[in-house]
Amino acid sequence: MSTVFGKVVKLILLERFGPVVEQVGSYLFQYGTNPLLYIMKYTELPLSKIKESLCILIKYNLVTFVTNKNENLANYTLKPDRILLMLRYPKYNNLIKKKFGDESEMIIEEVLQRGYWTASELILKVIERLKKNEQATSVSLVKDKFKSLVVAKYLVRMPYPKDDKPVPDLQIQDNELYIFPDIDNKILAQINAGAESMDKIPDKGIYWTINFDRFHQDMRDKIIVTAFTKKIDDNAGKFVELLLRQMYIRTMPWADSSNPVPILEIKDIIRKQETHKQLLAFFDQYVNVIEQDNSNLIRKAGEASGGSFQIFMKEAFIQFAWETIEQIVLEKYDSKAARIFRLVKSKKHIEPDQIQKLAMIPAKEAKRLSYLLLEENFLQIQELKKSNTNNGPNKTFTLFHINLEQVVRMTLEHCYKTLFNIMTRKNHEKEINKRIIVKKQRVDTIAMDMREKGAEEGQISDIEEMITPPEREILERIDITLKKLNTVELEVDETIFLLQIYLMYQ
Amino acid sequence: MFTTRFLYGVQEQPSLQHLFAKTRAGWQSLLLLVKNQLLCRLSKNYLTTLSHVFLFSTFKNLLKGMSEETKPSVSSPNEEALLDLAKSQPEGFNNDDIKQNLPNVPITEVTGIINKYLKNGTLEVFKMKNSLFYKYKDPLKKSDVKGADSEEKVVYKIIEESGNKGIWIRDIRFKSNLNTTQLNKVLKSLETKKFIKAVKSVAASKKKVYMCYDLEPDSSVTGGAWYQDQDFESEFVDVLSQQCHRFLAQKWEDASKQGGGPLLIRNRSYATATDVHKFISELGISKVTLSIDDIESILYTVVLDNNAERIVAANGSNLYKIVNRFLPSLGIVKTTCGICPIANRCASTGSVNPKSCTYLTDWINY
């Protein structure tokens, strides 16, 4: 938990929940777990506001609480990692949209926006929204979509209090997590038609929330599949995709390596799908090529049932982390430095003399680059002293090496800083152009208002022309800038995700 | 010795070629010299540096030593036989070996010959496992002794030991215990007599190393094909590395055009260093001739740049193939902050801050 990370968390809270929540959140970030009165004392906010903020944070599962020794009090803890995930929301939506379609995306979107909700209310809300978009829909269709999201474990049931205590102890049994409650379509339809009141929903008190782990699992798999697609080709990517899918039947999703998967199963699936003819025709060859690839991520486990294969997740992410760092070195210090970095990586420990010899870089340049990398903490140095030489100068060996985990953590910090910078800049851009943005908003609302009242086109265009052409130009530019910054924010988050997965596997 | 005398008579600095081509007798002496291994040195110089002009003084020193040894060796067949035996046993030989190899020679004559050789330094004697051993001493190595004082001998010996790697002046000083001025004088005199030479090392441009005059400096001193006058030719290496990469890429492209399944494509895109060497030589971009090993080391840089992979073939040679990376371009390197050189100094306040960062501004307006 570094300062930069804290700053990012602060900015996210500020952006999404406003200054009061941000203050409470920052306090909890800085001082860790604390009871309510302490928060009040240090933030000097009115109690009601703090309570409200904590409510909001708890609702979105950004703060957890446990009982104090005195069972009437609760200690609150911030979940900063969870807050960072808020940046990833568009990605979650997108993922579901691609996999399950619009209705499912809306369900996920609603849950993300509210933190948690009952199934019935969600379904009704989605139907309402779909109606607005003039899309045909029915209760049973949305319900089925909801069900499939639960079955696929994208949604998970919230824990609930068992007995009545001042500080509730939220619990849930493992077998309850993914059981969808019985909901009568008729009642929902009646409520939807306005014949019944909202109180009549059958699944009161059963709340659903997002299972982020499941999303991350999908994102992780996608990284692996795209990696193989990029390294070999589409067919190999497809093969790995199927291998991963078959893996889940036998293996815990976050295991370091999968249990052996029989190759014939995959072949059968390909035969049924008929989309990858090339892959089917050269199936054995592809298996051979993938297995013998120097990355060595997919290995043969045994000859039984036509050969079975294992995929090594942990190693995959170690290699991806290496490649990430290598790319950063490459972009930051150019190809020669990257060459030195990779050389040190492959040799584990290496003397400076050897670096220039093997990397074929002039002595001076090699020295400069390797010490530059040392200065920037990409390389580490190990000195070996020969102490028992009596005469002559004491000989010291200098060995370069890399501590990957440390470099990854450093890079992660750097990513947070980048996020912070981008977000600060974004706010700054908004701030300096506040006047125009506000004006634009005002004009837009007036114009919309008039349109609803049925004003003439001429009147509306008069209002719209209140924004002068130069102002329009500025607005366009701001728009582009913000879009650019938003895209990059998402992309940086991808790198963060990759590195976090690596650290998780360690 | 005709040649010897002939050389003595010549007061100018004769070229070697000129010298031996002049007289028929010269060629004959040449053959004799072969037996004494003197020609090895001469002929080496003769063959490699035809136009090389020997300084007269060098010759004088050299042949002085030679004439003393060669005379007895031709005068008696027994002596020659003993010398042959000595040469064939670089680890040394004892009296039993002599008895075995020269059974017809009376022991008194053997003693006489050995004494003579020991006297002029062709053989040296030492004790091993309680018996006397004799060892052949290369007259070449001895030749420096002539006309040199004891300090020069010591210094020469140190330099000689260092072989073709050469030795740094400071190390000579440590080993010889001579002071700097004296050592400089000795080195200068040895240098003018062409016993030793100073070679600039590539490891450190100001560091000079000394080695025997006739030795070809080791590649660690000259740097091999990649160095020209102590300068590493990084452009040359870069170009070669690019070409190697291009060759491998071409190979892969050809293979995938041919088709025939992924395995075949992969196997066809492997190239050995010999293939690449041929390609590079045909391109004619290199003015120096490159060895296979040079190409191997160039290919290794391509591997280090993550553009190729190296595997070991069944016959032990290396195979190279172009490879793709796993990851597409990363998000972090697309931002200015990801590659910012002063990221460590950046903070929300102060002169380097995200609000007024010029890098960010340029990137946004791009």
Side-chain angles (χ1 to χ4, degrees):
Chain A
M1 298 298 135
S2 65
T3 353
V4 191
F5 187 50
K7 279 181 183 169
V8 174
V9 167
K10 215 168 154 175
L11 275 183
I12 297 173
L13 287 177
L14 187 68
E15 198 179 286
R16 318 241 160 170
F17 302 108
V20 180
V21 177
E22 182 261 314
Q23 239 176 309
V24 175
S26 306
Y27 171 77
L28 284 176
F29 182 86
Q30 207 173 344
Y31 294 98
T33 311
N34 261 309
L36 181 64
L37 288 176
Y38 274 60
I39 304 173
M40 195 175 83
K41 193 178 170 192
Y42 283 95
T43 51
E44 290 173 352
L45 288 166
L47 189 63
S48 62
K49 290 240 174 182
I50 297 176
K51 278 183 178 169
E52 206 182 321
S53 315
L54 284 173
C55 272
I56 295 169
L57 289 170
I58 291 169
K59 184 168 163 55
Y60 286 97
N61 197 15
L62 304 177
V63 162
T64 54
F65 53 87
V66 284
T67 48
N68 204 338
K69 259 185 190 165
N70 171 359
E71 286 198 357
N72 295 321
L73 288 178
N75 285 342
Y76 299 94
T77 315
L78 191 74
K79 291 159 101 179
D81 293 321
R82 180 62 192 68
I83 294 173
L84 200 67
L85 293 187
M86 297 189 95
L87 294 176
R88 228 171 265 168
Y89 283 3
K91 254 180 242 166
Y92 299 139
N93 283 334
N94 201 1
L95 193 147
I96 289 296
K97 189 176 183 168
K98 272 188 192 152
K99 217 170 170 178
F100 295 99
D102 287 343
E103 290 89 357
S104 305
E105 190 210 347
M106 273 183 195
I107 295 171
I108 294 293
E109 206 181 316
E110 288 299 324
V111 180
L112 284 173
Q113 264 175 23
R114 283 171 190 271
Y116 59 90
W117 219 2
T118 62
S120 310
E121 280 169 306
L122 254 169
I123 293 167
L124 291 173
K125 175 79 183 176
V126 169
I127 290 173
E128 191 189 313
R129 273 183 64 182
L130 284 169
K131 266 185 193 155
K132 241 185 213 168
N133 294 356
E134 289 165 4
Q135 274 174 284
T137 177
S138 71
V139 172
S140 63
L141 177 83
V142 179
K143 197 180 122 185
D144 284 346
K145 289 275 181 185
F146 192 97
K147 250 184 182 167
S148 58
L149 282 177
V150 173
V151 171
K153 298 184 180 176
Y154 288 99
L155 291 174
V156 63
R157 199 181 152 182
M158 285 283 279
Y160 50 90
K162 282 261 162 63
D163 33 33
D164 205 20
K165 276 187 200 167
V167 178
D169 182 17
L170 302 180
Q171 277 178 340
I172 191 162
Q173 302 291 318
D174 276 353
N175 56 4
E176 287 175 311
L177 280 172
Y178 305 107
I179 294 173
F180 192 73
D182 283 327
I183 295 174
D184 197 352
N185 289 355
K186 271 184 202 160
I187 297 174
L188 282 188
Q190 275 171 355
I191 296 171
N192 194 29
E196 290 276 359
S197 71
M198 270 300 204
D199 297 338
K200 285 281 162 88
I201 48 165
D203 55 341
K204 236 181 189 174
I206 300 178
Y207 293 106
W208 298 91
T209 190
I210 299 283
N211 183 10
F212 289 103
D213 234 28
R214 182 68 181 79
F215 283 89
H216 293 165
Q217 204 178 307
D218 271 14
M219 285 158 76
R220 175 199 67 180
D221 292 353
K222 202 173 157 240
I223 290 178
I224 298 178
V225 172
T226 32
F228 272 94
T229 310
K230 191 164 184 327
K231 187 152 194 194
I232 304 174
D233 61 7
D234 284 345
N235 294 319
K238 182 75 190 169
F239 175 84
V240 175
E241 194 186 321
L242 292 173
L243 183 66
L244 285 171
R245 202 206 284 170
Q246 292 309 105
M247 170 192 118
Y248 288 123
I249 302 171
R250 302 174 170 78
T251 319
M252 293 296 288
W254 293 100
D256 283 356
S257 64
S258 79
N259 291 332
V261 176
I263 210 78
L264 285 177
E265 269 179 28
I266 297 169
K267 200 170 183 178
D268 280 345
I269 297 171
I270 301 164
R271 197 175 290 135
K272 274 175 205 149
Q273 282 191 342
E274 288 182 3
T275 45
H276 288 72
K277 292 220 168 74
Q278 187 84 14
L279 178 55
L280 190 62
F282 295 111
F283 187 77
D284 292 339
Q285 292 198 9
Y286 269 111
V287 172
N288 204 325
V289 167
I290 292 169
E291 191 206 342
Q292 286 176 13
D293 187 72
N294 60 353
S295 58
N296 217 2
L297 296 179
I298 294 176
R299 291 177 221 157
K300 199 169 207 166
E303 291 292 344
S305 58
S308 48
F309 283 78
Q310 270 179 296
I311 178 157
F312 289 79
M313 298 292 204
K314 186 176 171 178
E315 270 173 53
F317 275 88
I318 293 174
Q319 287 193 22
F320 295 163
W322 272 115
E323 213 170 281
T324 307
I325 307 294
E326 281 164 19
Q327 266 198 40
I328 291 170
V329 173
L330 174 74
E331 296 295 334
K332 216 168 171 179
Y333 310 107
D334 213 359
S335 59
K336 293 261 163 72
R339 195 185 290 172
I340 291 178
F341 187 79
R342 271 194 214 96
L343 181 67
V344 179
K345 171 194 162 191
S346 65
K347 296 282 174 199
K348 302 271 192 316
H349 285 83
I350 189 167
E351 275 186 88
D353 285 356
Q354 279 209 297
I355 289 182
Q356 44 147 315
K357 208 167 163 190
L358 288 172
M360 312 271 288
I361 298 171
K364 232 181 194 170
E365 181 85 355
K367 212 178 219 173
R368 186 182 71 80
L369 287 171
S370 40
Y371 280 93
L372 179 72
L373 289 176
L374 176 71
E375 193 188 339
E376 300 279 338
N377 286 327
F378 283 98
L379 296 182
Q380 304 287 307
I381 221 168
Q382 168 88 50
E383 282 193 343
L384 289 180
K385 276 195 181 127
K386 249 189 172 177
S387 53
N388 43 354
T389 41
N390 296 332
N391 47 353
N394 264 356
K395 224 178 176 187
T396 321
F397 296 97
T398 313
L399 295 173
F400 283 103
H401 65 106
I402 301 171
N403 182 351
L404 179 63
E405 198 176 324
Q406 179 242 325
V407 177
V408 166
R409 284 185 198 279
M410 184 185 77
T411 312
L412 202 56
E413 279 300 291
H414 195 72
C415 288
Y416 292 143
K417 187 166 211 167
T418 309
L419 265 187
F420 172 75
N421 284 355
I422 290 166
M423 288 165 78
T424 317
R425 184 67 183 224
K426 208 165 69 184
N427 293 341
H428 180 67
E429 293 282 330
K430 276 185 198 157
E431 192 65 32
I432 49 171
N433 297 304
K434 203 173 180 180
R435 194 188 60 81
I436 300 175
I437 294 172
V438 170
K439 186 180 173 186
K440 164 87 175 152
Q441 277 172 351
R442 209 181 298 140
V443 168
D444 280 353
T445 26
I446 294 171
M448 215 158 78
D449 214 33
M450 288 173 77
R451 209 169 272 141
E452 268 178 16
K453 282 175 186 161
E456 281 172 34
E457 276 300 310
Q459 279 176 314
I460 295 172
S461 61
D462 274 355
I463 294 288
E464 276 174 353
E465 269 167 29
M466 277 169 72
I467 294 173
T468 57
E471 279 177 336
R472 209 172 285 275
E473 214 170 88
I474 293 172
L475 277 170
E476 264 171 36
R477 200 178 51 76
I478 297 168
D479 207 39
I480 294 170
T481 307
L482 292 183
K483 250 187 209 154
K484 216 170 184 179
L485 289 169
N486 279 330
T487 328
V488 154
E489 200 178 288
L490 282 177
E491 280 178 352
V492 171
D493 184 61
E494 269 170 36
T495 312
I496 292 179
F497 177 73
L498 199 152
L499 296 178
Q500 276 177 343
I501 296 282
Y502 162 78
L503 288 177
M504 192 209 74
Y505 272 116
Q506 288 306 302
Chain B
M1 291 306 302
F2 189 85
T3 323
T4 323
R5 249 170 271 135
F6 175 78
L7 282 170
Y8 270 128
V10 183
Q11 287 300 318
E12 62 199 338
Q13 297 173 352
S15 94
L16 210 60
Q17 183 190 21
H18 180 76
L19 198 103
F20 287 119
K22 221 169 183 175
T23 58
R24 223 187 129 70
W27 284 110
Q28 268 173 4
S29 340
L30 205 103
L31 290 174
L32 291 174
L33 290 169
V34 173
K35 288 193 175 164
N36 278 326
Q37 283 196 331
L38 259 172
L39 192 71
C40 289
R41 177 183 184 175
L42 290 176
S43 72
K44 196 179 164 202
N45 275 334
Y46 179 67
L47 287 173
T48 48
T49 55
L50 271 179
S51 60
H52 185 80
V53 178
F54 268 122
L55 279 171
F56 181 65
S57 60
T58 323
F59 247 100
K60 207 166 113 184
N61 271 322
L62 200 141
L63 292 166
K64 236 192 208 168
M66 180 184 75
S67 59
E68 281 172 20
E69 293 144 23
T70 45
K71 255 185 225 160
S73 69
V74 282
S75 60
S76 140
N78 287 342
E79 285 176 20
E80 241 180 82
L82 191 78
L83 208 60
D84 283 340
L85 170 72
K87 280 178 202 159
S88 65
Q89 303 272 352
E91 293 298 308
F93 60 97
N94 57 13
N95 285 332
D96 295 341
D97 290 329
I98 300 173
K99 264 182 211 157
Q100 251 177 32
N101 285 296
L102 308 165
N104 303 330
V105 187
I107 198 115
T108 44
E109 201 186 329
V110 170
T111 333
I113 296 167
I114 286 181
N115 276 339
K116 197 179 218 168
Y117 279 147
L118 284 176
K119 208 173 172 188
N120 65 21
T122 313
L123 288 180
E124 59 183 347
V125 65
F126 61 97
K127 210 173 180 182
M128 197 166 75
K129 286 177 199 159
N130 289 330
S131 68
L132 282 179
F133 272 82
Y134 309 98
K135 201 160 121 185
Y136 178 67
K137 240 165 104 187
D138 195 345
L140 271 187
K141 287 181 181 168
K142 213 163 53 65
S143 62
D144 64 294
V145 186
K146 305 292 161 196
D149 55 21
S150 58
E151 274 125 27
E152 284 182 15
K153 273 184 216 161
V154 169
V155 171
Y156 184 81
K157 208 165 172 357
I158 292 168
I159 292 172
E160 198 181 27
E161 275 166 6
S162 70
N164 64 351
K165 289 235 165 68
I167 186 163
W168 192 24
I169 185 161
R170 217 178 87 168
D171 295 331
I172 303 177
R173 206 168 66 220
F174 277 128
K175 284 192 179 174
S176 66
N177 278 331
L178 290 169
N179 62 35
T180 323
T181 39
Q182 204 178 2
L183 182 63
N184 278 341
K185 221 171 88 185
V186 170
L187 285 173
K188 208 164 227 173
S189 114
L190 282 171
E191 234 178 306
T192 43
K193 288 178 189 163
K194 299 266 167 182
F195 287 137
I196 60 165
K197 62 181 171 183
V199 179
K200 271 188 191 160
S201 168
V202 290
S205 56
K206 278 183 186 149
K207 199 166 156 182
K208 265 201 271 185
V209 295
Y210 290 94
M211 65 181 71
C212 290
Y213 190 80
D214 54 344
L215 286 175
E216 191 69 25
D218 189 68
S219 63
S220 68
V221 180
T222 58
W226 318 117
Y227 284 84
Q228 187 152 36
D229 305 333
Q230 284 86 52
D231 286 329
F232 187 84
E233 289 189 272
S234 57
E235 285 91 3
F236 179 51
V237 171
D238 287 348
V239 167
L240 277 179
S241 165
Q242 274 165 22
Q243 290 303 329
C244 289
H245 182 221
R246 209 191 71 172
F247 176 77
L248 293 176
Q250 187 67 39
K251 188 125 184 164
W252 178 79
E253 237 168 67
D254 290 348
S256 27
K257 251 183 227 157
Q258 277 183 313
L263 196 63
L264 212 57
I265 292 175
R266 190 196 65 181
N267 290 346
R268 275 193 191 134
S269 34
Y270 279 116
T272 63
T274 327
D275 297 340
V276 183
H277 184 247
K278 204 175 147 209
F279 170 75
I280 296 288
S281 330
E282 276 167 13
L283 269 181
I285 45 173
S286 161
K287 49 189 186 293
V288 281
T289 42
L290 296 168
S291 69
I292 301 280
D293 281 347
D294 291 337
I295 295 290
E296 288 265 9
S297 49
I298 286 282
L299 280 166
Y300 188 57
T301 66
V302 182
V303 173
L304 284 179
D305 285 343
N306 211 5
N307 290 325
E309 65 172 11
R310 180 166 80 169
I311 61 159
V312 181
N315 61 2
S317 64
N318 289 325
L319 289 178
Y320 297 87
K321 183 180 90 76
I322 194 151
V323 282
N324 291 322
R325 286 168 198 187
F326 264 135
L327 302 177
S329 184
L330 291 168
I332 182 78
V333 295
K334 284 183 195 160
T335 65
T336 45
C337 299
I339 52 171
C340 181
I342 51 169
N344 290 341
R345 275 189 268 160
C346 179
S348 42
T349 52
S351 57
V352 184
N353 67 70
K355 283 178 192 165
S356 64
C357 177
T358 42
Y359 293 129
L360 259 177
T361 313
D362 287 351
W363 175 73
I364 286 168
N365 296 332
Y366 173 67

